[in-house]
Amino acid sequence: MKRIRLLVVIALILAVLAAPVVIFCIRPPVLIVTDTSFAVLYGKSHLRRQQRDASFALFRRVKPVMVADSAGSDVVDIAIRAAARQPFCVLFAGNRAEIAVRFHEQFPETPVVLFSGLVKTPEIPSPDGFLCVYDVDRPVDLYRAGLCAGILGVVPPKPVKEVEKQDESAAPPPAFTPKTYVLWQDPYVQSAERELFSRGLREQDPESVIIFVNSLAEMPDMKAISCTVLTGAGAEYLGKNPRMPLILFSWLNPDFTAREVVVLFDDSAWALAVPAVRMAVQRQAGGAIPSKPLIFSAKIADNNIFRMLQKSAKKMP
């Protein structure tokens, strides 16, 4: 009798433990239409990490729908239906706007998310609640990048040893020199973004000098720069192998970036999937989502600086 009771208790415990797994697996999945070339540049291991994190955050499977770059609407539709008969939500990048609209017309009750990106084209449709169109929140991104740049540029002073008597003949301390920060601008950085970047940076380094550049000819002496932020521009600058902390706006695989890149702002569909799905569930037809900052702890020796970067990466202006 005792053995039977023990078996029943064990069975109940196993059932309780298995229930979340079963619920997780049977819930309709989120599908993200992903071009094969994107997957190569994004990195398979990086994509798997994003898939895992998004699945845990949404407590449902998040699955890629891999299609060739040249795949048309019919092929994409077939791939989506093969991945799930009734998906919870389907996400498309901006280059698939036409296909997203067609899918929405065929399956109007399935929430569809289209990331319009920074390049606005006539193909971007008007949202209606089931077809949701989300932009990248560039102003918030630039504000956070400014905060992070200010943190990376400020070097903690060395502790001063106490002396019994000050040497009056010693040379006076050198004059204070403000630190210089550079923002490489792409065509989508406007005055509002520059203002928020400066605001974030000066919250960390009030005496900073900020230089906005569009070409290599406008760059100051590299030795005088404390941190550089590249917003999708400045490839020729990276070719010069700069030796200071870099903040990069890109969805490129982190393994492909320069070793000086400490923070990477990822605006890919995979990085924005969690907030996008949550907004779509609430029938929020339009809106803007900040990029996902990736902070590389292995490149930061000071744990305090790492924690400050983590906090700043979530701060709103």
Side-chain angles (χ1 to χ4, degrees), residues 53-298:
D53 294 346
S55 297
F56 286 153
L58 297 171
F59 194 61
R60 66 175 69 244
R61 291 168 297 158
V62 177
K63 300 170 61 176
V65 178
M66 291 292 180
V67 294
D69 296 11
S70 58
S73 298
D74 294 339
V75 174
V76 175
D77 289 348
I78 292 171
I80 291 173
R81 305 318 294 181
R85 297 181 68 87
Q86 293 183 329
F88 181 73
C89 185
V90 184
L91 281 60
F92 295 84
N95 65 327
R96 297 282 184 179
E98 200 173 314
I99 297 177
V101 171
R102 175 173 170 175
F103 181 86
H104 171 59
E105 291 172 349
Q106 291 179 329
F107 306 98
E109 295 185 0
T110 299
V112 171
V113 169
L114 176 63
F115 295 104
S116 61
L118 296 171
V119 182
K120 302 298 185 292
T121 64
E123 292 77 18
I124 300 297
S126 299
D128 60 14
F130 278 94
L131 174 61
C132 305
V133 181
Y134 300 139
D135 300 330
V136 178
D137 199 334
R138 241 339 171 49
V140 171
D141 287 350
L142 265 297
Y143 172 71
R144 292 174 175 177
L147 288 170
C148 292
I151 293 169
L152 293 172
V154 175
V155 179
K158 295 181 180 179
V160 180
K161 294 182 179 179
E162 293 185 2
V163 293
E164 294 181 359
K165 184 177 181 181
Q166 186 175 357
D167 185 0
E168 296 180 356
S169 64
F176 170 75
T177 302
K179 294 180 173 61
T180 300
Y181 301 83
V182 172
L183 173 65
W184 266 86
Q185 306 174 102
D186 61 22
Y188 309 103
V189 176
Q190 302 298 321
S191 58
E193 286 79 9
R194 286 190 287 269
E195 182 180 343
L196 280 169
F197 175 79
S198 302
R199 174 180 163 187
L201 206 158
R202 291 198 167 112
E203 285 183 22
Q204 301 295 339
D205 189 354
E207 305 297 328
S208 58
V209 174
I210 304 171
I211 301 176
F212 302 101
V213 303
N214 298 286
S215 67
L216 199 58
E218 299 173 351
M219 283 293 297
D221 183 1
M222 290 189 186
K223 296 179 181 178
I225 304 173
S226 296
C227 182
T228 300
V229 179
L230 299 100
T231 60
E236 63 271 32
Y237 176 65
L238 287 175
K240 298 290 184 180
N241 297 317
R243 295 290 181 242
M244 85 281 293
L246 300 177
I247 297 173
L248 184 63
F249 282 59
S250 173
W251 49 258
L252 190 67
N253 184 346
D255 294 339
F256 296 163
T257 61
R259 61 184 177 182
E260 287 78 19
V261 174
V262 181
V263 183
L264 188 148
F265 282 77
D266 184 353
D267 66 353
S268 68
W270 282 94
L272 309 184
V274 173
V277 172
R278 289 172 175 167
M279 291 165 65
V281 169
Q282 297 173 358
R283 298 291 182 265
Q284 187 172 336
I289 304 175
S291 299
K292 182 178 181 179
L294 305 178
I295 303 168
F296 307 124
S297 58

Side-chain angles (χ1 to χ4, degrees), residues 17-56:
L17 294 175
V21 178
V22 174
I23 294 172
F24 176 87
C25 293
I26 66 174
R27 299 182 82 190
V30 171
L31 304 180
I32 303 180
V33 178
T34 305
D35 296 342
T36 51
S37 62
F38 168 87
V40 171
L41 294 174
Y42 201 65
K44 292 182 178 180
S45 60
H46 187 205
L47 193 150
R48 282 194 295 267
R49 285 195 298 270
Q50 297 282 37
Q51 180 182 8
R52 177 200 61 202
D53 294 346
S55 297
F56 286 153

